[in-house]
Amino acid sequence: MSFFNPLWRATMFLMSASLALALQAQTGTLPPLPTDANQYVKDTIKYQMEADAADHTHWRYRIHREDEKGAQDRDVIDTKDGQLARTLLINGQPLTPEQRAADEARMKKLVQDPGERAKRAKRAKDDEDKGTQMLKAIPDAFIFKYQGAENGQVSLSFFPNPHYDAPTRELQVFRSMSGKMWIDRAERRLARLDGSLFEDVTFGWGLLGRLNKGGTFSITQSRVGDNHWEYVSLDVKMVGHAVIFKSINVKQQERLTDFHRVSDNLTISEAY
């Protein structure tokens, strides 16, 4: 799990990139930024996707998630069979015996039922594919401008590219979004992305759905160990409606902490 999960391998690319970064550290210099800010963003996203695709390490971490249903803290372990998440707290409180029994039953079913794992893997793959599509579209969907540099990060503002034709409904939201991006210059990674809707977003002339002006999101990622990067915080606030009358009121917050490397050969049974 990362900003968006691995898609393909690029081991040789990473080896050469690591050598280049090592040489830069020795000389204390970095190559000049491209004059074209969009090209810089495109190169960064390409590097990130290839680096993620070549990273097959597994990690254990804690996630705190809050939404309209309440708050949960979970201990998450990556395994070769998928993720296993054990609930630690609900709304800041230890689980009751009934809640603990239900959580154990959920995990046990995941461990013992290959069909359940297959369904989860498919959902995860679908989400990954959509996320990858959105990430790849960013350099074409927006116009970027350099804003400055501080603490090793390059900041850029962005606004919609009027010539961009969104190929999917998910990508239509880009036409009404502006914001700011931060890139870790030495690591060549997206460090933070903030966006907001400056106008309503409608789907199917408003009949299928609408996201109201003023919605915001913020996502941050950082290196959590070795050369492994993960998203460590997510904040989303969106209001609207879907399919005529169903209201949408999304307020979600996630914080990921306490990362530790685990065996890349760890099975879900062993994690349980």
Side-chain angles (χ1 to χ4, degrees):
M1 189 187 69
S2 62
F3 212 74
F4 298 104
N5 287 331
L7 300 173
W8 62 83
R9 297 182 181 181
T11 303
M12 295 304 296
F13 182 91
L14 273 180
M15 291 175 61
S16 61
S18 298
L19 176 60
L21 287 175
L23 292 174
Q24 291 167 13
Q26 292 174 4
T27 60
T29 61
L30 291 170
L33 294 174
T35 303
D36 184 347
N38 274 68
Q39 186 62 48
Y40 180 52
V41 172
K42 187 173 184 178
D43 292 344
T44 298
I45 289 177
K46 180 177 183 293
Y47 175 84
Q48 173 161 318
M49 292 179 66
E50 291 177 331
D52 284 346
D55 184 354
H56 304 291
T57 58
H58 291 165
W59 295 77
R60 181 175 187 171
Y61 55 92
R62 180 166 176 155
I63 182 169
H64 173 81
R65 177 181 290 119
E66 295 182 20
D67 56 27
E68 65 277 4
K69 297 179 181 178
Q72 282 194 351
D73 288 77
R74 283 184 164 185
D75 176 33
V76 182
I77 305 175
D78 293 333
T79 79
K80 62 190 296 185
D81 306 308
Q83 288 186 342
L84 183 71
R86 184 182 303 273
T87 306
L88 304 175
L89 302 171
I90 296 179
N91 294 323
Q93 300 297 320
L95 276 63
T96 64
E98 294 79 9
Q99 290 170 331
R100 174 56 61 201
D103 198 57
E104 288 292 333
R106 174 188 60 81
M107 290 188 293
K108 191 173 183 179
K109 179 176 178 57
L110 187 63
V111 171
Q112 297 180 344
D113 187 346
E116 182 67 17
R117 293 200 301 273
K119 287 193 295 185
R120 293 203 176 193
K122 183 181 185 304
R123 289 198 299 267
K125 181 63 165 59
D126 290 344
D127 288 344
E128 177 184 294
D129 290 345
K130 290 180 180 179
T132 299
Q133 183 185 47
M134 296 187 79
L135 188 62
K136 291 173 66 176
I138 284 176
D140 296 322
F142 298 104
I143 295 175
F144 287 86
K145 292 188 176 181
Y146 290 119
Q147 294 295 310
E150 185 176 5
N151 299 324
Q153 294 186 357
V154 178
S155 62
L156 306 98
S157 62
F158 63 86
F159 55 91
N161 179 355
H163 303 296
Y164 177 69
D165 184 16
T168 67
R169 187 163 64 186
E170 289 87 356
L171 294 176
Q172 289 178 16
V173 70
F174 283 171
R175 298 184 302 193
S176 303
M177 181 184 296
S178 62
K180 196 170 182 179
M181 174 186 287
W182 289 262
I183 294 175
D184 187 305
R185 189 173 179 188
E187 298 283 353
R188 299 169 66 188
R189 291 278 194 160
L190 300 184
R192 180 176 168 185
L193 183 65
D194 292 356
S196 63
L197 299 180
F198 57 81
E199 64 182 10
D200 290 353
V201 180
T202 59
F203 305 100
W205 298 281
L207 297 176
L208 298 180
R210 175 189 298 270
L211 292 176
N212 295 348
K213 173 183 176 180
T216 64
F217 78 91
S218 177
I219 183 169
T220 303
Q221 72 164 0
S222 64
R223 184 169 58 170
V224 299
D226 299 330
N227 290 317
H228 183 75
W229 281 66
E230 289 277 6
Y231 92 90
V232 294
S233 72
L234 172 69
D235 293 274
V236 179
K237 296 179 181 178
M238 294 284 175
V239 177
H241 72 263
V243 192
I244 310 299
F245 297 118
K246 184 179 179 180
S247 63
I248 300 172
N249 189 355
V250 178
K251 292 183 180 180
Q252 183 174 323
Q253 181 185 94
E254 295 182 0
R255 298 291 183 269
L256 283 68
T257 58
D258 301 330
F259 284 86
H260 299 89
R261 179 89 181 264
V262 297
S263 170
D264 299 337
N265 294 316
L266 183 70
T267 67
I268 197 167
S269 297
E270 293 169 335
Y272 180 70

